[in-house]
Amino acid sequence: MKKAPQITKTKILKALWLLFALLSALFWLPKIYNMLASDLESISQYISLDDSWDITINGENYQNVSLDDFQFNDIGKGDEITMQRVLPDSWNIEEGALRLHIWQTAMRICIDDEQVYEYGFDRMTDNKTVGSGMQFINFPSDYQGKTLKIHLVLAENRAFSNYESIRIYEWSNAYKILMTENRIPLFIGCFLTIFGVVTLITTIFALAFSVKYIRIFCIALFSLLMGLWTLCYYNVILAFALPLYKISLLEYIALYLAPLPMIVYLWEDIKNLNNKFISILYHAIFAIQVTATAVMLGLHTFDIVHCPATLKYMQILIICALVFAILVELISIRLNNTSNKLFLFGIVIVACCILYDLATYYNRRYFGGTLPNIRGISSIGIVIFIFILIVSFYISLTQKMMQEKERDFLIKSAYTDELTQIHNRRYCIEYMNKIRESKSSDYTIICFDLNNLKTVNDTLGHAKGDILIKSAADVIAKTFENHGIVARMGGDEFIAVLDTALHEEIAKLMEQFRINILHKNQEVEDLNMSIAYGYASSTIKEYDIDKIYQIADDRMYENKKKMKKA
């Protein structure tokens, strides 16, 4: 009958700690969230410029257009778009900031045909990427009632199909509003980045001692890349005053590299499956992912093909990697591994979140759909996924440590004498075989025989005899263990194999050995321990370890006879 698992004090404390952490998170996160959003309504007053536009696309005119409804269909690289409207005669904003979103376009802004802002044309001339993201442009109140003209030139095909709302905010509140609107991505991006950096630094040192931490290294790297991608994709990194093209490049690099640590993370599960076809498929996916990432980033670096043009191909590869990971974990579940079930659950969550964000992205880009009200869905899924990865890694590491501990115990049991806890005969023989194979010529073998053990066993009992044996083992180990190995060969026989053959050093050790015997006899009442010994070193003409051992054993018996006569 299977024994029910015991509930230990440690397990109870862990459960209580997890419960406390969960309750604390549930209590404090809404408060922090509401604190950031509390003044959003009061600071988010803006002037909307979404209606009354005259738009010209490659010479074709559209009058009195509302940006909410207008579709920019079939626009491609090099196409020119001009958007023009009359600004309101008055607004209550003292120092304004025009906020508009650009997608891979160069932009020129004019007020009454006088240019007040330009971005990206010099980069387009050099065939460089211009990036995507929010732009904040100084917009003073003396622009009231004047004509605003925005001239756009596309740097990539099908960069967008609708235009996000154009607004005038108070300059002092513009960035704060952006951060507050994207507070979920801001929180998650900062958390993932900080967690990734700290864990990555810690794990690099841990990897120097053991490769078993490679999985936590992969989790940390994935977290860092996803944190950077989140901060760039949702524009919250604009607070660092980085140019849009650099933010976009960082976003693409993070996204393109992110699948690699997760594919490496899968390797252990692939090995456990022991399936040749799955292993070949894994190596093929890894090779394709590495090659595609290197090629796409290389093409971007040399301005041959930019990352926006290759994004859809990389997204296909990411989806293929997700499908493969789900397949691997489904197969692994038959092993009834808890960590595999957790990993599968996490993969499914993150896949659903990514598919949702991909659907909204392509809906906006190609079909003119609006952005979702809830931002950062993929980031939320990634945080859940990383938490699951950490739990999965903890379970896997615990299982490995238990297995290693059990294996070490079995190995120690196989090579340790049960009574004295020093090495046994088997260990000594294997150690001597290693010396024979290495053909070492610097060693000494000392053979020991405990005198009067049989007499003690017969007259005082085996318990007293065991004390005598353990005392002998203590003295031999204390004297010689730091200079080689000591072992019990059986019964009253012991051996020491030292890694030196210097006569002076051996003589000092033997003198210390005799002193240690005297101390032990004083320490243990009525012990009266006496040990015969003999030794031989490889410095003599004979180097064969078996013969050295035989010489030492013969000298030990000669010493034993002398001690009996005495």
Side-chain angles (χ1 to χ4, degrees):
M1 188 174 179
K2 196 173 180 180
K3 217 175 188 180
Q6 293 183 347
I7 301 175
T8 63
K9 185 178 178 181
T10 305
K11 289 181 180 179
I12 293 172
L13 289 174
K14 283 183 179 179
L16 289 173
W17 185 88
L18 287 172
L19 180 62
F20 172 75
L22 180 61
L23 292 175
S24 298
L26 291 174
F27 178 78
W28 286 108
L29 285 179
K31 289 186 177 295
I32 297 171
Y33 181 86
N34 292 331
M35 182 178 67
L36 284 177
S38 60
D39 60 345
L40 178 61
E41 187 175 348
S42 62
I43 67 172
S44 60
Q45 302 301 318
Y46 62 87
I47 307 299
S48 176
L49 303 179
D50 292 343
D51 55 0
S52 304
W53 287 94
D54 293 336
I55 298 178
T56 303
I57 305 176
N58 295 328
E60 188 173 351
N61 297 317
Y62 302 87
Q63 301 293 322
N64 197 24
V65 167
S66 172
L67 295 181
D68 293 334
D69 306 319
F70 190 76
Q71 300 291 312
F72 296 84
N73 296 320
D74 299 324
I75 52 176
K77 185 176 181 179
D79 287 350
E80 297 189 22
I81 300 171
T82 301
M83 302 166 57
Q84 181 174 305
R85 65 155 288 168
V86 176
L87 293 169
D89 292 329
S90 64
W91 55 66
N92 298 324
I93 295 173
E94 294 181 6
E95 188 179 356
L98 182 70
R99 188 181 87 170
L100 69 163
H101 202 297
I102 66 168
W103 291 277
Q104 302 299 330
T105 52
M107 177 177 62
R108 184 181 292 114
I109 295 179
C110 296
I111 300 294
D112 282 351
D113 293 326
E114 181 183 349
Q115 181 175 309
V116 295
Y117 183 81
E118 183 180 275
Y119 171 79
F121 285 97
D122 54 339
R123 295 189 61 80
M124 283 191 66
T125 303
D126 296 335
N127 195 33
K128 294 183 180 295
T129 183
V130 295
S132 300
M134 288 287 184
Q135 287 277 37
F136 290 96
I137 301 153
N138 186 37
F139 220 70
S141 57
D142 55 10
Y143 288 171
Q144 295 174 3
K146 296 182 179 181
T147 301
L148 168 65
K149 182 186 289 186
I150 303 174
H151 182 65
L152 305 172
V153 179
L154 272 70
E156 301 292 343
N157 291 322
R158 302 291 298 274
F160 59 91
S161 59
N162 70 330
Y163 214 85
E164 195 173 338
S165 179
I166 300 176
R167 300 172 179 178
I168 303 173
Y169 284 98
E170 189 75 47
W171 182 267
S172 59
N173 295 328
Y175 283 97
K176 185 176 181 181
I177 292 167
L178 177 65
M179 300 296 120
T180 308
E181 286 177 346
N182 294 283
R183 51 194 176 275
I184 293 177
L186 174 62
F187 268 133
I188 293 173
C190 290
F191 167 76
L192 290 174
T193 304
I194 294 170
F195 170 81
V197 170
V198 173
T199 310
L200 205 61
I201 293 171
T202 307
T203 312
I204 287 173
F205 291 104
L207 280 174
F209 299 97
S210 175
V211 293
K212 66 185 178 184
Y213 296 104
I214 188 66
R215 278 195 154 186
I216 200 70
F217 178 83
C218 292
I219 294 170
L221 186 56
F222 179 72
S223 176
L224 173 61
L225 292 170
M226 285 292 92
L228 291 174
W229 175 82
T230 301
L231 294 175
C232 294
Y233 183 74
Y234 293 99
N235 296 294
V236 290
I237 205 170
L238 279 173
F240 294 97
L242 293 174
L244 279 186
Y245 62 88
K246 288 187 178 180
I247 294 175
S248 291
L249 178 59
L250 182 59
E251 175 190 335
Y252 286 117
I253 290 173
L255 181 64
Y256 285 17
L257 292 177
L260 295 177
M262 283 298 93
I263 295 174
V264 175
Y265 185 96
L266 274 177
W267 172 237
E268 191 171 325
D269 293 337
I270 300 294
K271 286 195 300 183
N272 292 336
L273 286 179
N274 198 24
N275 185 306
K276 188 176 181 180
F277 173 75
I278 295 292
S279 180
I280 292 172
L281 190 58
Y282 169 84
H283 284 94
I285 288 174
F286 183 71
I288 292 170
Q289 193 78 42
V290 171
T291 305
T293 302
V295 169
M296 291 177 186
L297 292 178
L299 291 173
H300 182 96
T301 302
F302 293 102
D303 296 315
I304 299 171
V305 179
H306 295 140
C307 286
T310 61
L311 177 61
K312 57 187 175 184
Y313 305 111
M314 183 54 72
Q315 288 170 339
I316 291 171
L317 289 178
I318 291 172
I319 291 172
C320 289
L322 283 172
V323 172
F324 176 72
I326 292 172
L327 175 66
V328 168
E329 299 311 314
L330 282 172
I331 297 172
S332 299
I333 283 177
R334 67 182 181 181
L335 302 175
N336 198 27
N337 192 321
T338 306
S339 61
N340 287 100
K341 292 177 182 177
L342 286 170
F343 187 75
L344 176 63
F345 179 65
I347 281 284
V348 170
I349 287 177
V350 81
C352 292
C353 293
I354 288 173
L355 288 174
Y356 174 80
D357 270 2
L358 279 176
T360 57
Y361 169 78
Y362 282 104
N363 181 41
R364 174 194 60 75
R365 181 168 180 177
Y366 295 108
F367 304 106
T370 57
L371 291 173
N373 292 327
I374 302 176
R375 302 194 176 196
I377 295 295
S378 289
S379 303
I380 294 171
I382 288 164
V383 168
I384 296 171
F385 180 52
I386 286 174
F387 176 75
I388 289 172
L389 286 178
I390 293 170
V391 173
S392 177
F393 170 77
Y394 173 77
I395 292 172
S396 177
L397 186 62
T398 303
Q399 289 174 344
K400 282 183 183 177
M401 289 177 69
M402 290 176 66
Q403 290 170 358
E404 287 178 7
K405 192 173 181 181
E406 185 177 354
R407 186 180 69 246
D408 291 343
F409 174 76
L410 292 173
I411 291 172
K412 186 178 179 182
S413 299
Y415 291 107
T416 303
D417 179 66
E418 187 177 354
L419 177 62
T420 61
Q421 292 302 301
I422 62 173
H423 295 304
N424 58 14
R425 182 185 187 90
R426 177 186 297 173
Y427 184 89
C428 183
I429 291 171
E430 290 190 12
Y431 188 81
M432 291 169 68
N433 286 337
K434 289 178 183 177
I435 293 176
R436 182 185 296 107
E437 290 169 4
S438 66
K439 297 181 180 179
S440 174
S441 60
D442 294 319
Y443 62 88
T444 298
I445 295 178
I446 310 174
C447 294
F448 305 91
D449 190 278
L450 181 59
N451 295 323
N452 303 318
L453 178 62
K454 186 175 186 306
T455 304
V456 171
N457 283 333
D458 292 342
T459 58
L460 301 175
H462 285 276
K464 191 71 175 178
D466 288 347
I467 293 174
L468 190 61
I469 292 171
K470 286 192 282 187
S471 297
D474 289 344
V475 169
I476 295 169
K478 182 179 179 181
T479 309
F480 302 103
E481 200 168 41
N482 292 334
H483 304 274
I485 65 116
V486 297
R488 183 185 179 196
M489 300 297 281
D492 55 3
E493 294 181 1
F494 297 87
I495 192 172
V497 182
L498 310 183
D499 53 11
T500 180
L502 295 175
H503 176 73
E504 296 82 1
E505 193 171 347
I506 299 300
K508 288 180 182 178
L509 287 171
M510 298 314 300
E511 179 60 30
Q512 186 62 49
F513 175 60
R514 287 187 284 270
I515 294 170
N516 289 341
I517 291 175
L518 291 175
H519 288 166
K520 180 61 75 171
N521 283 329
Q522 292 171 0
E523 181 184 323
V524 180
E525 187 178 355
D526 298 328
L527 186 63
N528 298 323
M529 180 174 62
S530 138
I531 303 173
Y533 62 86
Y535 63 88
S537 298
S538 59
T539 51
I540 59 176
K541 292 182 181 180
E542 182 57 65
Y543 289 98
D544 182 67
I545 193 167
D546 293 322
K547 292 185 179 179
I548 298 294
Y549 172 66
Q550 188 60 53
I551 294 169
D553 195 53
D554 291 342
R555 290 176 177 175
M556 182 271 293
Y557 276 109
E558 291 174 10
N559 181 247
K560 190 174 183 69
K561 289 177 184 177
K562 291 178 182 178
M563 294 178 77
K564 280 189 177 181
K565 288 180 180 178

